[in-house]
Amino acid sequence: MKSPLERGRVMLDIIELFIGLHKIGYVHGDIKPENIMSNILSYQHKLVGFRYTNKEGGEFLGGAGGYLAPERRVKDSKLAGLTYKEDIFSLAMTLLKIEGLDISVDDLIPDTCFENEKSPSKCQENVNKKVEEVFSEKNKLYPKEKSLGCLLPVFLKALSFDLEIRYKSMEEFEIDILDKLTKLDGVFIFFRDILIKEIKALDEFKKPSIWICRLLTMEFMLTSKIKFPHETTFEISTLACNKENKIV
């Protein structure tokens, strides 16, 4: 089993796939574990299953049961075009399943959740309970300062049925996960090793991850007592990242 920081990195890398898709104006529309092909050894991930993909604001073409955003499943839904928030809910549910959700998402959020006005709130309670169970189970394997229990509030927000509460963008979702991870024990050495590998990637004419760019300007990095070799942070930040912490 991967460590909490390794699993956190997998989350960040997968989220970046969808940040890229959203940046060119598309909503995937069918996010589920089967549509994310991952190599757990190389941290390489690939999206598949684009039959329901459409432009943001475009026509809703379908989706996968319990992974589908609740606002899309409400009876006589007035929701028109596709939104990025739908992908955020679906991705959070997918990551929850990858993290160890022990029941089918179709059982967790059945169609009965949307039979009347009171049903969604009851189902939201069930979802929140399962989120807490998944992350508390992970906490049993590691001390609190090293566990992914810190991500509980992030996933509760991403899986909110209330559109006013749910994240507005994949970038916000990613930043909150990264912020929580930087507070775990051993995180600096973990990210330092990733940065060294990113330098090698630059030599091969590849770009570093967007979250690596964000990491370089986060407070924990700037105030850390353990310093990177100057040329490491300089090369990453000047060759690959602009002032908005995005890939050049």
Side-chain angles (χ1 to χ4, degrees):
M1 177 183 288
K2 286 184 176 293
S3 72
L5 284 171
E6 288 171 326
R7 298 200 314 277
R9 180 193 174 173
V10 168
M11 289 183 187
L12 293 170
D13 286 340
I14 290 175
I15 290 172
E16 285 206 357
L17 296 176
F18 295 97
I19 289 177
L21 188 64
H22 288 184
K23 282 186 181 301
I24 59 174
Y26 283 91
V27 176
H28 186 279
D30 193 22
I31 303 174
K32 54 187 177 182
E34 299 91 322
N35 284 338
I36 300 173
M37 310 298 289
S38 296
N39 184 320
I40 60 174
L41 297 177
S42 65
Y43 291 98
Q44 297 297 310
H45 312 281
K46 181 180 180 181
L47 290 184
V48 296
F50 292 98
R51 62 176 176 163
Y52 297 136
T53 300
N54 205 351
K55 281 280 191 180
E56 185 210 9
E59 180 185 358
F60 170 68
L61 302 175
Y67 292 103
L68 202 59
E71 63 270 18
R72 186 58 72 184
R73 297 176 65 190
V74 173
K75 189 176 181 180
D76 300 323
S77 172
K78 299 292 192 297
L79 190 64
L82 287 169
T83 69
Y84 296 133
K85 286 191 175 188
E86 295 177 64
D87 268 1
I88 293 170
F89 182 93
S90 300
L91 179 56
M93 186 60 72
T94 296
L95 294 175
L96 189 68
K97 187 67 177 177
I98 292 172
E99 270 296 294
L101 180 65
D102 60 359
I103 67 171
S104 160
V105 294
D106 293 323
D107 291 336
L108 180 59
I109 313 178
D111 290 337
T112 53
C113 285
F114 309 101
E115 289 181 342
N116 57 61
E117 293 182 358
K118 293 183 179 180
S119 296
S121 61
K122 178 63 177 176
C123 288
Q124 176 77 83
E125 292 176 11
N126 292 338
V127 169
N128 292 352
K129 181 178 179 181
K130 278 298 178 182
V131 173
E132 292 171 2
E133 285 181 10
V134 167
F135 286 108
S136 65
E137 283 299 313
K138 296 297 180 183
N139 284 345
K140 292 177 183 177
L141 300 176
Y142 296 91
K144 183 177 180 181
E145 63 274 13
K146 291 186 177 182
S147 80
L148 289 185
C150 60
L151 297 184
L152 173 59
V154 178
F155 275 79
L156 290 177
K157 184 173 180 177
L159 289 168
S160 175
F161 285 24
D162 187 337
L163 290 174
E164 294 299 315
I165 295 176
R166 195 185 309 160
Y167 289 105
K168 295 181 176 63
S169 69
M170 283 288 182
E171 287 94 336
E172 289 184 1
F173 187 25
E174 179 188 61
I175 288 169
D176 272 7
I177 289 178
L178 184 56
D179 180 64
K180 297 294 184 184
L181 292 178
T182 59
K183 295 175 173 59
L184 295 181
D185 272 9
V187 67
F188 189 88
I189 301 300
F190 178 77
F191 282 133
R192 184 191 65 184
D193 291 344
I194 292 175
L195 275 171
I196 291 172
K197 291 178 181 178
E198 293 287 342
I199 288 294
K200 294 179 180 178
L202 284 177
D203 292 339
E204 297 169 3
F205 305 102
K206 296 178 182 178
K207 295 292 186 181
S209 304
I210 298 171
W211 64 263
I212 288 290
C213 296
R214 292 198 176 102
L215 180 69
L216 287 167
T217 58
M218 293 186 74
E219 184 179 359
F220 110 100
M221 181 69 77
L222 298 176
T223 59
S224 175
K225 294 179 181 178
I226 308 175
K227 299 300 181 182
F228 281 96
H230 174 72
E231 63 275 11
T232 301
T233 51
F234 178 79
E235 188 169 359
I236 285 280
S237 59
T238 57
L239 295 183
C241 309
N242 62 22
K243 293 181 180 179
E244 285 74 38
N245 305 323
K246 299 175 183 177
I247 298 300
V248 174

